[in-house]
Amino acid sequence: MKFDTPAGTTPIDRQTVIGRPHPRVEGPLKTTGTATYAAEHHDLGGDIAYGYILGAAIGKGRIAAIDTSAADAAPGVRAIVTYRTAGPLGVGQFYVQRMLAGPAVDHYHQAVAVVVADTFEQARAASALIRVDYARTTGSFDLSAQKADAPIAPKEPFGGPSQIVVGDFDRAFAAAPVTLDETYTVPDQAHAMMEPHATIARWDGDLLTCWTSIQQMNWGVRDLARILGIPKANIRLRSPYIGGGFGGKGTVQSDLVLAALAARAAGRPVKLVLQRTLMFNNTIHRPKTIQRVRLGAGRDGRLTAIGHDNWSGNLAGGRTEPSTIPTRLLYRGENRLLRRYLTTLDLAEGNAMRAPGEAPGMMALEMAMDELAERLGMDPVDLRIANDTAVDPEKPGRPFSTRAFVECLRTGADRFGWSKRPGSPASRRDGDWLIGFGMASAIRGAPIAKAGARVRLERSGRVIVETDKTDLGTGSYTIVAQTAAEMMGVPLDRVEARLGDSSFPETPGSGGQMGAASVTAGVYAACAKLRDIVVQRLGFERDDVVFADGEVRSAGRTVSLASAARLGELVAEDSMEYGDLSQRFAQQTFGAHFAEVGVDRYTGVVRVRRLLAVCAAGRILNPVTARSQVIGGMTMGIGAALMEEMAVDTRFGLFVNHDLAGYEVPVHADVPHLDVAFIDEVDPTMSPLKAKGVGELGLTGVAPAIANAVYNATGVRVRDYPITLDKYLTRLPELT
Amino acid sequence: MKAFTYERAKDAGAAARAVAGRPGAKFIAGGTNLLDLMKIEVETPTHLVDVQDLGFDTIVKTADGGLRIGALVTNTNLAADARVRRDYGVLTRAIVAGASGQLRNKASTAGNLLQRTRCPYFYDTNMACNKRRPGSGCAAIGGYSRQLGVIGVSTSCIATFPGDMAVAMRVLDAVVETVDATGARRAIPIADFHRLWGDRPDLDTVLKPGELITAVTLPRPIGGKHFYEKVRDRASYAYALVSVAAVIQPDGTGRVAFGGVAPRPWRVEAADALLPQGAAAVTARAFRGATPTEDNGFKLPLATRALASVIAQAKA
């Protein structure tokens, strides 16, 4: 099915199942521990062996010698794979990292070897017996030190041009009566999802099946085929359940590649779970950014000049953290200069983490807007409203498909009680707590991409949906089933969604906030085709047929849906493809975040007291799962604002705090009441569902809202995330 | 994890002898720290002597009106004990400020005293660490040291003792009771229990090989208001940047110890005497000679401010 004109009325608009707050259909499996995650398939047969990865001990250099003899002889060891035995390995298309070091070591904890043994404990013990002599070479690990020499990034596949020039920024900035020119830093961050990367790999002749944990099955097959040098057709990946990913499991990581190599070497299926201590330096992460924001405004607050320069580093061939993305479309302003600079760093690869670009970009831009509001003497909400734009500021002929931005701001301000904000910084106390309010805008792209599905109508009338979409705990099973239930006119419990199998029709999986919108459109297309088949089978006139209540009705005639499959199961497969609506319209999601914090006036400890997110993201397919997505993002935003940082040791070239004791993410006690409101809207330019994703919108803007609240509480501006007390302790208001 | 042998000791003497007679042997109780360290081969015992059958799991009153806490009393049970809550509030507050409920259910009183530093370089076997591998150097010096020590450290090691419970015990003048392989018993004041690193940071405490902790005693209650102020980046399940254990009397005198700053709970009795003069006077004395790094210099003003908060609460 092709979608190239805005949707009119569709069966989805009935909203008998879609749009309803159905709890997650797979929830009982998870609460009873019976959902099978990657490492939990105990029914595969065969004699599963265990793999354990040895990570490189240096940040940059070469393996001068490697001696596995002691490990080879250790109890239970069946195989050891190193670069000398692995055969040639390619590189994936999305990540540039090499999955196995040797002889060059590209970054700390890059895999040097995988040991296969009869038990996990044997494999782990043997890995420590491998002797590796390294020849260390000088690496580059310090973004700040290399910033001055970093060139503009080359053309990149995501995030638009590396340099965007509109109007004459320099002149407008110089002429602006009120200006701001500040630099902000966002540190390296880890996904730190609960389930580690994990794979069970099994070879049946040339056919490789992997039970794994990745977000995009089709990318996984593509990248694994490239790396192993085998045909895509020989690979089947299965990720029915994923214990969190946040982009860290976008596609193939070392666990998948090395499990496959290990299984081939051992001649047995191999289970490999990446140990937590390796996850920080072995896999991808959100790279550090240094961002200079320059804003020029009239005294009425209207922006005339917007400058945003972004520096980040990566392995050779890697991309930038594209923090300038949100600045392209959020605010008006005739003169714009956005640049992304890239330098080579020999740290683990920087790549996608929840709202890549937007999340760190907004941490800078929205703090800058808060600072500008203060210089203007304007309310921060009013400043945002004054800079709303109905059109793409780079292409004034291109309108937004929907833009409920101002409604988000006004709804949020009202619901939060923004008018009760402390008018000047450090002006309100509650006992020993300094109280502050802060807010920030939210924006995140609403991409949508070709997605397919296969729908079966069983003789019983049950509907089965199969797609390679994944569910990271986000609700994919539920919204896929809801879509099919709505389309086929059956109750939700008559639909079964089967996901996460690369043999199913392709989707863009879970990533880039495009999963929900894309897969539901694919399911829509397949269901539309199945409806046609049903109509034909039942001999209805096509135009006025209604699918409802397990029945098919037309012109007074009512037949059960199941009867269409009386003679055998009906199957339809289709995908949704797109025309140029995304070029004609700027398709984005919008929001506003509000925060109240308390800062201990003695110790500087920050506690978030409440957060509110107001989101506009097209039709909300399921308010329960959508809310869960948003509050998850808000929780992640608390971490980004207040604690998350991978500390770089620039001497040795590694992230030092590479475990969950050292890399702190919020715990329950850090997370207060989280309030979420959705603006009631649909976006007919997206798909027949008129829906957009919401998973990344919930994160963008949270951290700067909290940071701005800390400023409002203390009067101390910290532009270096995370906002930890050591950065402002001695500048807190005098103790009285 | 290196292969090891294991036995369950039947009595304290046998346990002490089993460890003393075997290089590389260690006691294990709750195992909440030791097992983690064994998995990453920071700890590589050849033999484990499990002491969980030895009893030592009660809290009884002592002749002088104090409490004797068995070495195997869990952190949860110690914190919840009605007598501890009533008379030694600082101890309950310190314990529940540490770790998580699950860990406190498993962790023992003696094990809590023996937990090892959380310095990230100690945890990474690729890094030089005099504590883990004597003579290899200290990667933390000149590295990422935000969490590390500001006083009592040395040119060999700047790690901190990470615990909370012991900081409260230091304020309470607790005494650690032990028995060794010969059956000899010792009573070690907590002030002397943890070593300063000097040139032997591999030795955390003054315990001799095979010397087994049997109990910790608390002197009779000293009254006053009890505080444990733990400052950290997140609200729970994090080690202290700085913690303050304090008992403040109605006249403003009292005792104070600091956690998260040194190889041991940091208390300077001469500084206690300055409490009536305010927090700055106390910390100026307590942290005299401090050698913070660029990363952790904030711990000095933080200690002062955290103590000021406690003093203000005591007056309220």
Side-chain angles (χ1 to χ4, degrees):
Chain A
M1 186 176 276
K2 181 95 182 231
F3 185 79
D4 50 11
T5 55
T9 300
T10 77
I12 298 295
D13 294 327
R14 298 181 300 179
Q15 296 211 138
T16 59
V17 189
I18 283 288
R20 300 296 176 96
H22 290 290
R24 283 194 268 166
V25 295
E26 87 289 12
L29 293 178
K30 291 179 175 172
T31 53
T32 56
T34 49
T36 41
Y37 289 86
E40 296 177 342
H41 293 271
H42 305 300
D43 55 349
L44 302 181
D47 187 10
I48 289 188
Y50 292 80
Y52 193 85
I53 292 177
L54 175 68
I58 61 169
K60 176 79 173 169
R62 291 173 61 82
I63 297 172
I66 185 163
D67 176 4
T68 62
S69 54
D72 284 323
V77 171
R78 300 298 165 195
I80 296 176
V81 178
T82 69
Y83 78 95
R84 292 186 310 197
T85 59
L89 293 178
V91 172
Q93 192 171 317
F94 190 60
Y95 301 150
V96 299
Q97 61 184 327
R98 295 188 308 123
M99 297 302 174
L100 191 58
V105 174
D106 306 328
H107 60 89
Y108 195 72
H109 277 174
Q110 186 176 30
V112 164
V114 58
V115 179
V116 188
D118 292 339
T119 70
F120 168 76
E121 289 77 11
Q122 289 170 333
R124 182 175 62 188
S127 74
L129 300 175
I130 297 172
R131 294 175 58 101
V132 187
D133 292 330
Y134 297 99
R136 221 183 264 271
T137 55
T138 304
S140 301
F141 309 114
D142 188 348
L143 177 64
S144 305
Q146 292 170 228
K147 172 176 171 274
D149 301 323
I152 297 266
K155 187 169 164 29
E156 302 186 300
F158 302 95
S162 298
Q163 176 165 275
I164 293 168
V165 180
V166 178
D168 185 342
F169 171 82
D170 287 337
R171 211 172 70 178
F173 185 70
V178 181
T179 60
L180 172 129
D181 179 357
E182 295 291 354
T183 297
Y184 306 85
T185 57
V186 179
D188 296 281
Q189 295 175 337
H191 304 81
M193 73 297 276
M194 193 182 297
E195 181 203 28
H197 303 84
T199 297
I200 299 173
R202 187 180 76 195
W203 292 87
D204 299 294
D206 289 338
L207 299 180
L208 172 63
T209 305
C210 296
W211 288 261
T212 188
S213 186
I214 64 169
Q215 298 171 221
Q216 272 136 290
M217 307 303 290
N218 54 354
W219 284 15
V221 170
R222 175 198 71 195
D223 291 343
L224 191 58
R226 285 171 62 116
I227 293 167
L228 297 178
I230 63 175
K232 280 165 62 172
N234 289 7
I235 297 173
R236 184 176 178 192
L237 300 182
R238 306 185 66 172
S239 294
Y241 301 104
I242 298 174
F246 311 122
K249 296 173 178 168
T251 174
V252 175
Q253 294 274 358
S254 58
D255 61 303
L256 192 40
V257 175
L258 296 184
L261 293 174
R264 189 158 65 188
R268 284 163 65 177
V270 167
K271 176 189 292 193
L272 196 160
V273 179
L274 195 59
Q275 59 268 38
R276 182 68 66 178
T277 47
L278 240 57
M279 286 175 61
F280 298 82
N281 285 282
N282 176 280
T283 74
I284 63 159
H285 71 287
R286 189 199 303 286
K288 173 177 177 170
T289 51
I290 300 171
Q291 303 178 51
R292 181 187 187 193
V293 179
R294 286 178 290 174
L295 302 174
R299 299 209 180 276
D300 59 358
R302 285 164 68 86
L303 291 165
T304 53
I306 300 180
H308 193 165
D309 291 322
N310 179 72
W311 288 266
S312 60
N314 214 333
L315 294 171
R319 299 189 295 274
T320 66
E321 175 68 26
S323 303
T324 53
I325 290 177
T327 315
R328 298 181 67 187
L329 291 165
L330 186 53
Y331 299 122
R332 68 176 304 283
E334 300 82 359
N335 304 285
R336 314 170 79 88
L337 178 60
L338 314 181
R339 294 177 291 205
R340 297 201 296 264
Y341 299 87
L342 179 63
T343 187
T344 302
L345 290 178
D346 300 304
L347 295 165
E349 179 171 2
N351 207 300
M353 177 167 148
R354 200 174 194 173
E358 277 102 339
M362 292 291 274
M363 289 167 78
L365 178 65
E366 288 300 284
M367 198 189 290
M369 287 293 280
D370 198 63
E371 298 196 61
L372 182 66
E374 185 175 38
R375 290 183 195 188
L376 286 159
M378 272 181 92
D379 184 290
V381 172
D382 293 339
L383 176 62
R384 268 84 173 181
I385 291 172
N387 285 291
D388 190 30
T389 173
V391 296
D392 176 350
E394 292 169 20
K395 295 177 191 154
R398 181 184 184 229
F400 287 89
S401 57
T402 62
R403 185 177 164 112
F405 177 49
V406 171
E407 196 180 346
C408 289
L409 291 164
R410 293 206 163 113
T411 302
D414 185 49
R415 188 170 172 129
F416 192 77
W418 181 250
S419 61
K420 298 185 181 69
R421 167 179 182 254
S424 57
S427 64
R428 183 172 301 170
R429 264 177 59 184
D430 175 7
D432 284 332
W433 294 98
L434 308 170
I435 305 301
F437 284 22
M439 60 79 55
S441 306
I443 183 171
R444 173 67 175 100
I448 193 163
K450 181 183 174 181
R454 185 160 52 231
V455 189
R456 304 175 192 280
L457 176 63
E458 293 186 332
R459 297 174 70 160
S460 65
R462 226 161 58 103
V463 177
I464 311 292
V465 190
E466 294 172 337
T467 117
D468 80 353
K469 173 78 166 88
T470 51
D471 190 324
L472 295 82
T474 45
S476 301
Y477 280 101
T478 311
I479 59 168
V480 163
Q482 284 178 275
T483 303
E486 191 75 79
M487 288 297 289
M488 302 312 297
V490 298
L492 189 59
D493 62 10
R494 299 292 287 161
V495 181
E496 180 187 343
R498 296 176 183 161
L499 307 183
D501 186 328
S502 68
S503 71
F504 294 159
E506 279 188 41
T507 70
S510 301
Q513 192 173 272
M514 70 167 84
S518 300
V519 72
T520 53
V523 173
Y524 180 99
C527 287
K529 197 175 220 176
L530 183 60
R531 284 164 63 117
D532 288 348
I533 295 170
V534 167
V535 165
Q536 197 179 26
R537 280 290 164 94
L538 298 178
F540 279 106
E541 290 300 319
R542 287 194 53 175
D543 288 357
D544 62 345
V545 178
V546 172
F547 287 68
D549 307 321
E551 296 172 342
V552 188
R553 302 172 191 142
S554 176
R557 179 177 163 224
T558 296
V559 185
S560 77
L561 177 65
S563 65
R566 181 164 37 96
L567 300 177
E569 176 184 86
L570 304 181
V571 184
E573 180 174 337
D574 202 358
S575 59
M576 188 68 83
E577 296 180 68
Y578 298 90
D580 66 349
L581 288 170
S582 65
Q583 281 84 58
R584 285 163 51 199
F585 297 96
Q587 295 169 322
Q588 298 282 317
T589 58
F590 292 93
H593 290 283
F594 293 82
E596 178 181 339
V597 304
V599 180
D600 187 301
R601 71 193 189 101
Y602 288 97
T603 63
V605 162
V606 180
R607 294 288 173 253
V608 180
R609 295 190 150 199
R610 59 193 178 107
L611 293 178
L612 165 66
V614 183
C615 299
R619 188 197 307 277
I620 298 304
L621 299 168
N622 180 329
V624 172
T625 57
R627 178 178 182 278
S628 289
Q629 283 281 281
V630 175
I631 64 174
M634 294 161 84
T635 303
M636 205 171 210
I638 293 171
L642 300 178
M643 61 194 79
E644 291 189 41
E645 173 176 19
M646 288 202 288
V648 183
D649 187 319
T650 56
R651 303 165 306 164
F652 302 120
L654 75 153
F655 302 121
V656 179
N657 48 339
H658 50 71
D659 60 31
L660 289 179
Y663 186 83
E664 292 184 10
V665 297
V667 295
H668 284 94
D670 293 299
V671 183
H673 178 66
L674 303 176
D675 188 17
V676 179
F678 293 106
I679 299 295
D680 187 16
E681 68 167 18
V682 293
D683 188 340
T685 72
M686 291 296 298
S687 81
L689 278 291
K690 308 172 187 173
K692 301 169 179 174
V694 73
E696 300 188 349
L697 180 66
L699 170 61
T700 67
V702 177
I706 293 169
N708 293 338
V710 171
Y711 172 75
N712 184 242
T714 63
V716 186
R717 182 69 72 178
V718 177
R719 301 183 181 89
D720 177 26
Y721 290 95
I723 315 292
T724 50
L725 57 89
D726 47 311
K727 296 172 184 170
Y728 56 83
L729 185 66
T730 56
R731 293 186 285 152
L732 286 173
E734 286 281 318
L735 292 168
T736 53
Chain B
M1 186 183 283
K2 284 222 187 328
F4 58 92
T5 51
Y6 171 87
E7 69 178 285
R8 278 172 90 133
K10 292 280 183 286
D11 61 70
R17 286 192 297 278
V19 170
R22 196 156 172 174
K26 271 190 172 288
F27 299 114
I28 182 167
T32 57
N33 190 205
L34 180 61
L35 289 177
D36 282 354
L37 292 171
M38 287 170 66
K39 289 174 188 172
I40 55 175
E41 298 198 2
V42 169
E43 292 274 13
T44 53
T46 56
H47 184 66
L48 288 184
V49 178
D50 192 329
V51 297
Q52 65 176 306
D53 297 336
L54 303 189
F56 300 144
D57 57 354
T58 58
I59 304 172
V60 297
K61 204 155 185 196
T62 60
D64 71 345
L67 290 179
R68 173 173 285 107
I69 303 158
L72 293 171
V73 171
T74 66
N75 289 180
T76 297
N77 287 343
L78 178 55
D81 185 274
R83 293 160 294 181
V84 174
R85 290 168 60 119
R86 184 186 65 216
D87 297 330
Y88 306 96
V90 63
L91 183 55
T92 289
R93 293 191 173 113
I95 291 170
V96 299
S100 66
Q102 295 93 327
L103 287 166
R104 295 194 297 267
N105 286 342
K106 195 72 187 154
S108 67
T109 300
N112 193 320
L113 292 174
L114 296 175
Q115 63 183 302
R116 309 211 67 191
T117 184
R118 290 284 166 165
C119 173
Y121 297 94
F122 173 72
Y123 266 72
D124 188 335
T125 52
N126 294 323
M127 295 289 135
C129 176
N130 289 320
K131 179 177 282 297
R132 178 167 28 78
R133 194 152 29 109
S136 62
C138 174
I141 295 173
Y144 173 65
S145 58
R146 183 171 179 270
Q147 284 277 356
L148 302 181
V150 296
I151 194 160
V153 295
S154 73
T155 54
S156 296
C157 181
I158 58 171
T160 55
F161 172 75
D164 296 299
M165 182 193 81
V167 185
M169 287 181 168
R170 178 71 179 87
V171 152
L172 295 170
D173 286 335
V175 175
V176 182
E177 297 185 348
T178 68
V179 64
D180 70 13
T182 69
R185 294 179 177 276
R186 275 213 288 176
I188 308 166
I190 187 114
D192 303 329
F193 182 76
H194 294 101
R195 295 180 65 257
L196 299 186
W197 304 141
D199 57 4
R200 287 301 303 275
D202 53 314
L203 302 177
D204 288 356
T205 71
V206 298
L207 292 178
K208 294 173 293 195
E211 190 173 6
L212 177 69
I213 299 174
T214 55
V216 175
T217 58
L218 302 178
R220 62 189 176 82
I222 57 171
K225 288 187 181 176
H226 289 224
F227 299 91
Y228 192 74
E229 177 92 16
K230 182 174 180 180
V231 184
R232 42 188 160 172
D233 291 320
R234 68 178 168 191
S236 180
Y237 203 44
Y239 297 94
L241 295 169
V242 165
S243 67
V244 176
V247 177
I248 311 281
Q249 302 297 338
D251 63 359
T253 63
R255 306 172 178 184
V256 59
F258 298 90
V261 292
R264 58 165 63 142
W266 194 252
R267 179 176 169 203
V268 175
E269 274 77 353
D272 286 357
L274 302 174
L275 266 169
Q277 297 176 35
V282 173
T283 54
R285 180 66 189 83
F287 290 95
R288 184 187 292 172
T291 55
T293 66
E294 197 176 317
D295 284 355
N296 67 22
F298 73 95
K299 289 191 174 191
L300 296 172
L302 181 58
T304 304
R305 298 180 75 106
L307 178 58
S309 173
V310 165
I311 292 172
Q313 291 172 61
K315 285 180 182 161

